């Protein structure tokens, strides 16, 4: 007997670092807290492409994804959620957006010691930014591959 498919929602989250500052976006929903650039991966889109797109849409910043912080998979009876958390850097000196739109109310570069000044959506922002600021492990992007990609040694 065939099994029912498991609905899975995929998200990309991005820790964008510029020296000792990190990019936050002010969300236009959830009570307008500050969070990392993040969003759902669209059909046919890679996690890396979603990370680049979401950061550009929400913060106005072009980025280069430089590493993989963590992959999270959370199954539940109703389906599953998969989140890939990336490290990235800006590709130029474009300032964060300040004009509200459908994606966000704005964005800002924030130092670790300034985080208490921002109403954040949950403690994970402080946790992951502190992790990166203190030299936490970041993994090669090659760990995340499309199905069918050949295995190559060396």
């Amino acid at each position: 007997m065939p099994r029912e498919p498991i609905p899975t929602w995929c998200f990309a989250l991005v820790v964008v670092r510029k020296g000792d500052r990190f990019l936050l976006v002010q969300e236009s929903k959830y009570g307008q807290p500050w969070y990392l650039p993040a969003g759902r991966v669209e059909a046919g889109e890679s996690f890396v492409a979603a990370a680049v797109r979401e950061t550009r849409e929400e913060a106005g910043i072009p980025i280069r994804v430089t590493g993989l912080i963590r992959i999270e998979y959370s199954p539940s009876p109703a389906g599953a959620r998969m989140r890939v958390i990336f490290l990235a850097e800006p590709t130029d000196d474009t300032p964060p957006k300040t004009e509200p739109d459908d994606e966000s109310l704005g964005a800002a570069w924030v130092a670790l010691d300034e985080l208490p000044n921002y109403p954040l959506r949950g403690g994970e922002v402080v946790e992951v930014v502190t992790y990166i600021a203190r030299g936490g492990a970041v993994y090669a992007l090659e760990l995340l591959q499309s199905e069918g990609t050949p295995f190559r040694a060396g």
Side-chain angles (χ1 to χ4, degrees):
M1 172 164 31
R3 292 186 222 169
E4 289 294 314
I6 301 169
T8 303
W9 293 269
C10 298
F11 297 89
L13 285 77
V14 192
V15 177
V16 184
R17 185 175 192 174
K18 182 179 180 182
D20 67 345
R21 303 184 83 71
F22 296 88
L23 186 64
L24 296 183
V25 295
Q26 186 175 21
E27 298 182 326
S28 57
K29 52 188 172 184
Y30 309 118
Q32 303 176 345
W34 292 79
Y35 196 61
L36 301 169
R40 191 176 293 184
V41 178
E42 295 179 356
E45 185 177 45
S46 72
F47 279 96
V48 171
V52 170
R53 176 183 53 76
E54 288 290 347
T55 304
R56 174 74 83 157
E57 288 175 355
E58 295 180 356
I61 302 289
I63 61 163
R64 180 174 74 88
V65 175
T66 58
L68 182 61
I69 298 170
R70 182 152 88 181
I71 299 171
E72 299 175 337
Y73 180 76
S74 303
S76 76
R81 181 168 84 157
M82 184 173 180
R83 300 188 329 163
V84 178
I85 305 172
F86 294 101
L87 181 64
E89 62 188 15
T91 59
D92 62 26
D93 289 325
T94 300
K97 80 175 188 182
T98 56
E99 293 292 321
D101 61 20
D102 291 341
E103 297 294 333
S104 70
L105 299 178
W109 290 109
V110 179
L112 186 60
D113 64 348
E114 296 171 334
L115 287 176
N117 301 329
Y118 290 79
L120 301 172
R121 179 168 53 122
E124 79 176 333
V125 174
V126 173
E127 186 178 359
V128 71
V129 167
T130 301
Y131 174 81
I132 293 301
R134 293 186 179 160
V138 177
Y139 303 94
L141 288 173
E142 289 76 24
L143 287 175
L144 189 62
Q145 293 288 328
S146 296
E147 187 175 337
T149 300
F151 288 86
R152 291 194 168 77

